[in-house]
Amino acid sequence: MKKIAIITGAAKGIGKAIAERMYAENYITILVDVDVENGNKLAEQLGENAHYFNCDIRNEKAVEELFQTVIKKFNRLDALVNNAGIIKDNVIWKMPTEDFDAVIDINLKGTWLMCKNAASIMKNQQNGRIVNITSRAWLGNPGQSNYSASKAGVVGLTRVLALELGKYGVLVNAIAPGLIDTPLTQKLSLDVQQKLIQAQPTKSMGKPKDIANAVVFLCDDKTQFITGQTIYVDGGKSIGAGI
Ligand SMILES: NC(=O)c1ccc[n+]([C@@H]2O[C@H](COP(=O)([O-])OP(=O)(O)OC[C@H]3O[C@@H](n4cnc5c(N)ncnc54)[C@H](O)[C@@H]3O)[C@@H](O)[C@H]2O)c1
């Protein structure tokens, strides 16, 4: 029987790589994104077991409808990958409150709404995997008071859900990507990109598929007994004394 996976922010970047990899792993792949053009394009490219849903994860009603539709059609949910996220960087004294709200609403509240809907389904079926894409920025990064707070929130959320859902056979983990080559990081100037690459132990950017590989590992039936963890996929950037 094919497993069912929902991936948010699946139209491009890391989410697209996760969707492609999960599709290749034989999942019925539900692509959730607000980018209608790229979402539909990817679903078409992947094939008949990929389905695109235009759903803004901030919208509680839209998220509920998404889960109702998925359950009506497939009657189960094996994996939820919360990947959708945005950045709106600035030092706090220049950051408009709207930019704080926008980042928290998508990265944290949207992820929470998706988890809430998945949790009751997975709890009832006594099985499931949730993988939340956080960022190593949750450790704290100047200019990202909104983003770091949202991603630290995702780490906290992941740990709570691991505690709440463990006895129902549901494993919940987070992945903290470091610098990954996607449309999000391509918005940075080449100069900034080079500086960030030079600060990496590996002197390289990661690829979206590096995150996709970690997601597939965490969702695999063979992977048991790992829950509540944050796995760093960051070329070693989060280790060392930084001296
Ligand atoms: N790229 C990196 O270096 C990096 C590093 C650490 C963490 N991350 C995290 O990885 C995730 C993916 O990042 P990316 O670089 O692929 O970003 P991206 O901008 O390339 O893709 C994000 C996708 O999310 C979608 N999205 C945005 N708001 C949405 C909403 N309200 N509802 C549904 N979909 C929405 C966008 O349309 C887009 O397709 C994000 O959570 C990001 O914070 C990225």
Side-chain angles (χ1 to χ4, degrees), residues 8-15 32-35 55-58 82-87 106-107 133-136 147 151 176-185 187:
T8 69
K12 51 186 174 286
I14 293 171
V32 173
D33 207 295
V34 287
D35 181 342
C55 171
D56 184 334
I57 60 164
R58 290 171 293 189
N82 286 303
N83 162 81
I86 60 162
I87 49 172
I106 294 176
N107 298 7
I133 306 300
T134 176
S135 165
R136 60 174 294 285
Y147 185 74
K151 294 299 191 179
L179 188 63
I180 308 290
D181 189 9
T182 70
L184 189 135
T185 40
K187 281 183 204 145

Side-chain angles (χ1 to χ4, degrees), residues 39-56:
N40 274 320
K41 201 164 116 192
L42 180 60
E44 231 169 78
Q45 264 170 25
L46 288 175
E48 60 176 3
N49 289 318
H51 305 270
Y52 166 68
F53 285 85
N54 176 9
C55 171
D56 184 334

